[in-house]
Amino acid sequence: MAVKAEIVSKDTIKPSSPTPDHLRDFKISLLDQLAPPSFYIPILLFYSASDINAFDSDFETISHKLKASLSHVLTLYYQFCGRLKGNSIIECNNEGVLFIESRVPIELSNIFEAPQLHDITELFPFDPYNPGTEHKENMAVQLNQFTCGGIAVGACFSHKVADGSTAALFLNAWASTSNGKGNNVVAPPQMAEATLLFPPRNIEVDMMTRGMVGHKNIVTKRFMFNETNISRLRQKLGCCNFNPTRVEAVTALVWKSSLAAAKATSGEQRFPASMMSHAVNIRSRMASMLSKHSIGNLWQQAVSPLVEVKGEVGLHDLVEIVRNTIRKIDGDYISKLQSVEFVKVIESLKEARTMASKKGIPCYSFSSWIRFGFYELDFGWGKPSYVRTIGVPIKNVVILMSTKDGNGIEAWVTLATHDMVEFERNPELLDFASFDPI
């Protein structure tokens, strides 16, 4: 069942102070150039009616406060209201951010009780993975009002100007400005660090291999790992020569369960060859650490070697591969990106995508959002009741998000429909995770 939203109004929010002429042409970094060309990062923040009422807020007040604070914070994040020109420059021309208001004819509890109601694209200003050629915005927002009085803020950030960490930094600045704490809390973003360290190149690279996007017969489901079960899983892996992190442990289990599902549906007697990749934030992995306020696409995709298994898949072996793969993104790797060797790095990533799209070797791609602090975003009427995204329309993609208490992990897993049938009944997975069977 899809969520339907009635559009009430559309506005364009411009910065409260125009961008100075000398900042009009903003050069993006090499890493921005490599980002997916037409993807947006989608984030949904839900706020309950009881919290809103406790702060004596109504929809009109909320809308006004969000628009005014957004206009103010855009003076700092001026490239968010510009437009991409080619693949190297953002014209910071104050064109603004799309801001839509809508009414949703259901109660917010319907979303909470049926989170697998994942066709909620209408809560965003547009489909973040298929925005259409008419949408050139670097950012867009939709404020949704439910019949119970609860709201949802759906934000889309162009992947050409932001990664998940940048989106979180912007939302935190916006929330702090809205709730009146901005003057003491909001630090100016470090706009130029990424471009100085990774200057744009004269290249046109489409890192999304044909056939990867828009798979048919795929499904996304949420799997919950609470604190107790994550601790049990890590203890099970405790005989490794290292203590795996929460992300490493959950990644290894989801990868193994996915391989078991693919084996079952293929009818083969052996596990398929596969690869695993993880999006790695490089801000703290450079020789000279970047500021946490550095914005842009400061991440790299760590890709494992081809894994071929003759017998049983060992969870301990997989978690070791996960750790080694993530740790490949180190100072030496980043130095290559900054030198003429960047071509070799790009070619190796393209080769992995080619193996996945043309040779049929599955690559299970993971991205962790658990440290982004989305549950701390208080715009002036309390913190979110729930935070989520929507499934990426690419099979074998997994997004890891924090639970509200900060101790658990939600894994939003997208698989081929027939693989999901096997995946969601895997006994080892269900020993540590729960899921919504709808």
Side-chain angles (χ1 to χ4, degrees), residues 139-268:
M139 180 187 172
V141 178
Q142 184 162 313
L143 174 61
N144 305 279
Q145 182 182 30
F146 294 85
T147 56
C148 59
I151 65 168
V153 178
C156 292
F157 298 87
S158 170
H159 223 322
K160 280 295 183 181
V161 300
D163 58 9
S165 181
T166 298
L169 193 67
F170 178 90
L171 289 171
N172 183 68
W174 184 14
S176 297
T177 303
S178 177
N179 67 25
K181 299 177 182 177
N183 291 336
N184 299 321
V185 177
V186 176
Q190 299 300 310
M191 310 282 282
E193 277 193 330
T195 304
L196 289 173
L197 292 168
F198 303 97
R201 308 277 186 167
N202 186 23
I203 56 173
E204 292 289 339
V205 181
D206 183 0
M207 294 301 290
M208 301 303 296
T209 307
R210 289 181 180 272
M212 290 185 68
V213 183
H215 282 290
K216 296 181 179 179
N217 301 317
I218 60 175
V219 63
T220 301
K221 291 199 174 185
R222 180 189 70 164
F223 295 80
M224 304 284 294
F225 297 82
N226 62 32
E227 181 181 12
T228 299
N229 285 336
I230 291 175
S231 179
R232 288 177 49 237
L233 177 59
R234 294 177 70 193
Q235 288 176 3
K236 180 176 180 177
L237 294 167
C239 61
C240 298
N241 56 7
F242 62 90
N243 185 27
T245 66
R246 294 184 300 158
V247 167
E248 289 168 347
V250 170
T251 297
L253 180 57
V254 171
W255 184 14
K256 181 181 178 182
S257 302
S258 300
L259 289 176
K263 175 187 175 185
T265 56
S266 70
E268 299 290 336

Side-chain angles (χ1 to χ4, degrees), residues 17-170:
S17 299
T19 303
D21 287 342
H22 71 281
L23 298 176
R24 287 298 180 100
D25 287 341
F26 180 85
K27 290 184 178 181
I28 65 176
S29 74
L30 169 65
L31 305 186
D32 294 324
Q33 289 181 296
L34 299 178
S38 58
F39 273 21
Y40 286 76
I41 299 171
I43 302 166
L44 263 175
L45 309 168
F46 295 95
Y47 297 86
S48 69
S50 59
D51 287 341
I52 290 171
N53 293 334
F55 284 85
D56 196 27
S57 296
D58 56 37
F59 189 75
E60 184 177 348
T61 301
I62 288 171
S63 175
H64 175 76
K65 183 177 288 190
L66 284 177
K67 290 177 181 178
S69 55
L70 177 58
S71 177
H72 183 77
V73 82
L74 284 174
T75 62
L76 297 176
Y77 291 81
Y78 51 86
Q79 79 273 40
F80 280 48
C81 49
R83 299 295 183 266
L84 185 68
K85 179 182 178 181
N87 194 35
S88 60
I89 290 176
I90 296 174
E91 287 187 319
C92 302
N93 48 16
N94 304 302
E95 285 197 39
V97 167
L98 175 64
F99 193 104
I100 296 175
E101 293 180 11
S102 83
R103 294 193 183 97
V104 187
I106 62 172
E107 294 193 357
L108 188 53
S109 59
N110 292 115
I111 301 289
F112 294 165
E113 293 168 2
Q116 297 312 336
L117 195 70
H118 66 276
D119 189 4
I120 56 173
T121 306
E122 290 205 12
L123 298 183
F124 290 101
F126 44 74
D127 184 341
Y129 297 113
N130 187 26
T133 56
E134 69 274 18
H135 288 292
K136 303 295 184 182
E137 300 90 351
N138 285 339
M139 180 187 172
V141 178
Q142 184 162 313
L143 174 61
N144 305 279
Q145 182 182 30
F146 294 85
T147 56
C148 59
I151 65 168
V153 178
C156 292
F157 298 87
S158 170
H159 223 322
K160 280 295 183 181
V161 300
D163 58 9
S165 181
T166 298
L169 193 67
F170 178 90

Side-chain angles (χ1 to χ4, degrees), residues 169-391:
L169 193 67
F170 178 90
L171 289 171
N172 183 68
W174 184 14
S176 297
T177 303
S178 177
N179 67 25
K181 299 177 182 177
N183 291 336
N184 299 321
V185 177
V186 176
Q190 299 300 310
M191 310 282 282
E193 277 193 330
T195 304
L196 289 173
L197 292 168
F198 303 97
R201 308 277 186 167
N202 186 23
I203 56 173
E204 292 289 339
V205 181
D206 183 0
M207 294 301 290
M208 301 303 296
T209 307
R210 289 181 180 272
M212 290 185 68
V213 183
H215 282 290
K216 296 181 179 179
N217 301 317
I218 60 175
V219 63
T220 301
K221 291 199 174 185
R222 180 189 70 164
F223 295 80
M224 304 284 294
F225 297 82
N226 62 32
E227 181 181 12
T228 299
N229 285 336
I230 291 175
S231 179
R232 288 177 49 237
L233 177 59
R234 294 177 70 193
Q235 288 176 3
K236 180 176 180 177
L237 294 167
C239 61
C240 298
N241 56 7
F242 62 90
N243 185 27
T245 66
R246 294 184 300 158
V247 167
E248 289 168 347
V250 170
T251 297
L253 180 57
V254 171
W255 184 14
K256 181 181 178 182
S257 302
S258 300
L259 289 176
K263 175 187 175 185
T265 56
S266 70
E268 299 290 336
Q269 297 301 310
R270 57 184 295 175
F271 288 92
S274 69
M275 297 178 294
M276 183 280 310
S277 71
H278 235 293
V280 179
N281 188 334
I282 66 172
R283 288 167 176 81
S284 62
R285 293 174 179 262
M286 300 187 65
S288 55
M289 288 176 55
L290 287 171
S291 163
K292 65 179 181 180
H293 299 291
S294 296
I295 65 174
N297 282 282
L298 290 163
W299 62 282
Q300 274 293 283
Q301 199 75 25
V303 183
S304 76
L306 182 65
V307 177
E308 297 182 274
V309 182
K310 294 182 179 180
E312 287 297 313
V313 174
L315 190 58
H316 296 85
D317 296 328
L318 292 185
V319 78
E320 189 165 355
I321 293 172
V322 171
R323 167 162 287 204
N324 291 338
T325 298
I326 292 174
R327 293 197 169 189
K328 285 195 305 184
I329 309 299
D330 56 14
D332 289 340
Y333 180 98
I334 295 166
S335 294
K336 291 179 181 178
L337 273 176
Q338 296 175 284
S339 71
V340 293
E341 292 188 73
F342 83 96
V343 175
K344 295 180 181 179
V345 175
I346 294 172
E347 288 302 319
S348 67
L349 293 174
K350 290 178 67 176
E351 182 181 353
R353 286 169 170 77
T354 299
M355 291 178 71
S357 64
K358 295 183 178 180
K359 298 183 180 180
I361 296 173
C363 181
Y364 296 94
S365 300
F366 293 80
S367 181
S368 172
W369 295 14
I370 67 170
R371 295 188 182 277
F372 290 161
F374 291 130
Y375 276 103
E376 299 301 313
L377 295 172
D378 180 359
F379 289 86
W381 45 85
K383 296 178 181 180
S385 300
Y386 187 43
V387 178
R388 62 163 296 180
T389 184
I390 59 175

